[in-house]
Amino acid sequence: MYKIKNVYAREVIDSRWNPTVEVELTLDNGVKWIAICPSWASTWIHEALELRDWDSTRFLWKGTLKAVNNVNTTIKENVVWKSFESYRQLDKYLIELDWTKNKSNFWANAILPVSMAFVDACSKAENKEIFEYVWEWKWYILPYPMMNIINGWSHADNNVDIQEFMIVPVWATSIKEAIRMWAEVFHNLKKILSAKWLATSVWDEWGYAPNLWSNEEAIQIILEAIKKAWYTTDQIKLALDCASSEFYKDGKYDLAGEWKVLDYKQLVDFYADLVEKYPIISIEDGMAEDDFAGWKLLEEKLWKKIMTVWDDLFVTNIERLQMWIEWDLANSILIKLNQIGTVSETIDAVDLATKNDMRSIISHRSWETEDTFIADLAVAKNTWFIKTGSLSRTDRIAKYNRLIRIEDMLWDKAKYGR
Ligand code: PGA
Ligand code: ZN
């Protein structure tokens, strides 16, 4: 049982120099912890809502003082000097206090950092690591990282349509080794891009974002870098987040970078061809969020060969997952805390997916902070994968370094990958 002494929210800055909400939560035993809410660039219909101030005089409309105020007034008045048996009980209380279906009373960017900070503070009060406090296992399986390497579409300013090209070091024997492999490939990728006079600036999730002739060229350049780093495609696999809702217009998929407009059947053929030719193990959001015919066909054609991953359609929402599971439209899901707004609902989503033989990928957002909660969450829930960007800026590195530390801490109680 933990009693909350104080919650205090403030505006801090995220990795894309926009403001976000940070919450400092103090328990009555003096233990204090800070949690920060991430944000995102892409626009999805079904997510829990984040509140922006829409005041043109601050941060180009993107201020978060209203969300900060929700924490510092109503939420604070209701939780301070109250005791909660568990984070689950606090989350339930916050959900009831908000009383809307999509958290549009306090909004997800006010509720989530309170929920996370409470988990953090309780774990500290119990003298446990966050992952141990969330779930204590005899053995832990550390997740394969899906590591961003080239960015496109709304995560960059180049002409590449697919949003994220990632590499997955499946052959590594530890997280440390997986991370080293990524770093070596990334250095080599830079050399290749420079030699071709292509841009080596990094974007949102901090992979490179060169202009290319096609999406396939991005894959080919990555394979070249893998080879140049002396690895094989048995050791390092590829994963894509197509974020195809972003280029879905009037029922068609507009691959502007390739001057192609495809219907859903042609897009599925396009993916099937890539999967045939390249070592791709996962395609996220291959189809747009409400293109059910497209999802059905993609699943029919590719579910045995790769992971078909839901992000936009499911948005970490257990009710939506329950609704869509029987349709059998994907075999894996992306898990993002701020899409649903509390830690316990996020955990319920992972559990429901696991119960239905779906693989979970704990994910960052495109606009991140130094908060490393997702690294602990992935370890606590023994998820198959974690997706937390490239290694080239501290907002992402912080999560990878936390995984390295957890691996050391667990020592022989942990094993990397399946
Ligand atoms: P987002 O991107 O945070 O902009 O939604 C991450 C993803 O699409 O998986
Ligand atoms: Zn996505």
Side-chain angles (χ1 to χ4, degrees), residues 143-281:
Y144 291 117
M146 285 184 169
M147 306 178 83
N148 187 299
I149 194 152
I150 288 187
N151 289 181
W153 202 259
S154 63
H155 285 183
D157 69 345
N158 58 350
N159 66 350
V160 175
D161 307 294
I162 292 180
Q163 183 176 276
E164 296 168 37
F165 295 83
M166 293 166 281
I167 60 171
V168 192
V170 288
W171 165 90
T173 53
S174 64
I175 282 277
K176 290 181 205 72
E177 198 174 22
I179 288 170
R180 175 176 59 78
M181 289 163 77
W182 179 93
E184 290 164 7
V185 174
F186 203 61
H187 280 296
N188 279 288
L189 181 57
K190 184 171 188 176
K191 286 185 192 160
I192 294 168
L193 294 174
S194 297
K196 292 179 194 279
W197 298 100
L198 292 167
T200 54
S201 47
V202 292
W203 268 82
D204 275 24
E205 296 179 356
W206 312 127
Y208 299 124
N211 280 317
L212 298 170
W213 291 107
S214 65
N215 294 287
E216 192 166 347
E217 191 190 357
I219 295 176
Q220 287 163 347
I221 292 182
I222 293 169
L223 292 180
E224 219 181 307
I226 291 174
K227 198 165 164 207
K228 203 167 157 51
W230 299 102
Y231 292 113
T232 68
T233 50
D234 286 335
Q235 296 168 315
I236 299 182
K237 302 287 182 191
L238 306 181
L240 307 176
D241 177 5
C242 299
S244 64
S245 300
E246 295 280 319
F247 51 80
Y248 187 59
K249 286 184 203 110
D250 307 324
K252 291 267 167 74
Y253 293 91
D254 187 356
L255 295 177
E258 301 191 14
W259 305 89
K260 276 184 200 157
V261 178
L262 306 180
D263 63 24
Y264 74 88
K265 289 182 188 145
Q266 291 165 317
L267 187 67
V268 170
D269 286 342
F270 170 77
Y271 293 142
D273 181 53
L274 292 181
V275 169
E276 198 58 48
K277 290 202 285 211
Y278 303 109
I280 295 170
I281 58 163

Side-chain angles (χ1 to χ4, degrees), residues 163 241 284-285 311 334 336 387:
Q163 183 176 276
D241 177 5
E284 178 186 331
D285 282 341
D311 174 8
L334 206 75
K336 292 168 167 167
K387 172 173 114 158

